[in-house]
Amino acid sequence: MKKRTPLSFARFWAIVIKEFVQMRRDRLTFGMIIGIPVVQLMLFGYAINGDPKHLPTAVLLADNSQQGRSILSALKNSDYFNFVRELHTEAEAEKVLARGEVQFVVTVPENFSRNLLRGEKPTILVEADATDPAATGNAIASLRTLLTSALQQDLKGPLAFLAGSDGPVNLLVHARYNPEGISQYNIVPGLMGVVLTMTMVMITGLAITRERERGTMENLLSMPTRPLEVLLGKIIPYIFVGYIQVGLILAAARYLFHIPMTGSIPLLLLTSLVFIAANLAMGITFSTLAKNQLQAVQMTFFFFLPSLLLSGFMFPFRGMPEWAQAIGEILPLTHFLRIIRGILLKGNGFEEVILQLWQIALFAVVVLAVGVKRYRRTLD
Amino acid sequence: MTESFAIDVRGMTKRFGDHTVVNGIDLQVRGGEVYGFIGPNGSGKTTFIRMLCGLLAADAGEGSCLGFDVITESDAIKRQVGYMTQRFSFYEDLSIAENLDFVARMYGVENRREAVREGIERLGLAGRQKQLAGELSGGWKQRLALAACLIHNPRLLLLDEPTAGVDPKARQEFWDQIRELARQGLTFLITTHYMDEAERCDRLAYLSYGNLLTHGTAAEVIAGAGLSNPSLEDVFIHLMDSSKDNYSL
Ligand SMILES: Nc1ncnc2c1ncn2[C@@H]1O[C@H](COP(=O)(O)OP(=O)(O)OP(=O)(O)O)[C@@H](O)[C@H]1O
Ligand SMILES: [Mg+2]
């Protein structure tokens, strides 16, 4: 049996300091740390911030009344909608939506006018192609005001009471093809997880292979070190980097995209720590497995792609096949997305968060254990 | 600790695939001795040294280094050995002072600041401690590496071609320093391709294709060669030529 040196905090700290200094001197990495979130925010932010107008719209007018006509002409005059054509059957509506010919089908039901005038609050159905939910949000919001003002003229005098505070009609929106209804509120917080996954894994993914390729590994190994000291020492400095990114994206979310922040920000920062650590651990473990930097980069991508595709960032999680969901459940990003959306949008607290958080923590521990096991203490 | 030999190993063997790079080498180095390790390129000098400090796992062999088991106690050995690698292996993106500070921390050196300052001064690097190691010339890198190897007061120094690419005057100073440290009790195992350096060693070993062909003082090695009035260099060239017949690459 080999005799082992006990773990030493001093050696761990020596590596932390060294990595910090090296990180500061590495302009390229530092640029990447700031650049990636900024570029991603610009890219996604442009799509989100854009307020698409003139969305192709078809109308199914089952009630050819004066009120129905008012709605139709109001739609035609609106900036948000571009009236394409009138439909006559449900099947037709189905077809134009499926083909992507229109973004919306607005259905004015039979007896609309009669029910309206009786004060029964008839329902107007809006079927929205929500595959690009960012496109539909503002338009739908404007539809409510549009309907109210279109019907205003008809609801004068004794009927004025119908145009009450919550409008004369019910608006029923069916978000088609996108049951979770991912919106811009979903994307920007999710972006935080995506950016962290991408940069954190990449940064530490190169950590060990870089030492090997520069020849400094020989020196490091000739000193009495334990793998855990080296691996943790290389992880810690980048936690700060992760927090720089978290700060950047949170600021952008708040001031650029006006994302509601319902829940506790300290709680979010705490959970971010676990998530950042998990990704750094993944990277450092790749680094111990990879023979050279190219392999490390390839492994990073093999991790990043499923994270992007199967976590629920790109596609609604519940819409994926079961095998894909099973893979997704392993990935830290999946759980982090639920946490961050939960905290920011739903105002979730610790009890809800912990259900996801322990799974990220478990991932980190398992992955780091693999890294420690695979860390080669000789040059063989 | 009272061991008669700083290094006392037998049958050290290393194979890469089916290529035996170090073939059953026995070596004994006394405490306070400057021991020269000579041999052509690829003869296994670096590989042997790496096995001594646990950087490569030996395929066979046993013995002790500074009184510790060379196979099982490499952590203890590492703590008391200074290993200067053939290729510069400190951090080029750290300054001279930062490199020394890192090494001192890793070995848990007491009075770290003092030790770093001394190391810088001893090597005449004062005033340049903020310079990045990567910006140093080859000779200065070698000096930095030696300073770093000494910072934790090792008892044994394994120096792998420490003077390669160093100018004659600096080489002279280097060896003066080594002799001074040996006088203080440090043990050295040094590889070199320079004959004048080989002659300055207390004893020598000559390696070829992983085999130790001859060893002893310079005088013994010359006498053992059986050539008429040879220099040390003649002997090595003779050994190199004759060993080629017995092994193929
Ligand atoms: N990691 C390795 N994998 C495979 N072969 C190796 C490895 N390291 C060294 N070798 C081989 O072992 C042999 C001895 O190499 P070594 O570096 O020990 O020689 P050396 O005596 O130090 O040579 P030099 O004087 O050029 O430094 C060489 O043939 C080399 O190709
Ligand atoms: Mg060598």
Side-chain angles (χ1 to χ4, degrees), chain B residues 40-47 50 86 160-161 191 193:
Chain B
N41 295 134
S43 54
K45 304 182 294 295
T46 300
T47 305
R50 284 174 173 170
Q86 182 169 357
D160 199 354
E161 298 194 28
T191 74
H193 291 295

Side-chain angles (χ1 to χ4, degrees), chain B residues 58-123:
Chain B
D59 291 311
E62 56 172 13
S64 66
C65 187
L66 297 172
F68 298 105
D69 189 304
V70 76
I71 306 296
T72 60
E73 296 180 305
S74 40
D75 272 351
I77 295 172
K78 283 176 185 175
R79 243 172 278 141
Q80 304 201 20
V81 166
Y83 170 42
M84 180 169 164
T85 56
Q86 182 169 357
R87 179 182 156 196
F88 184 73
S89 61
F90 287 90
Y91 296 99
E92 303 214 333
D93 48 356
L94 294 191
S95 71
I96 292 167
E98 285 161 351
N99 267 303
L100 293 176
D101 188 68
F102 172 66
V103 176
R105 283 175 188 273
M106 289 299 282
Y107 286 103
V109 174
E110 285 172 33
N111 297 326
R112 197 183 70 245
R113 282 166 210 279
E114 190 65 11
V116 169
R117 201 179 50 74
E118 263 174 32
I120 290 170
E121 270 171 17
R122 187 168 37 204
L123 284 145

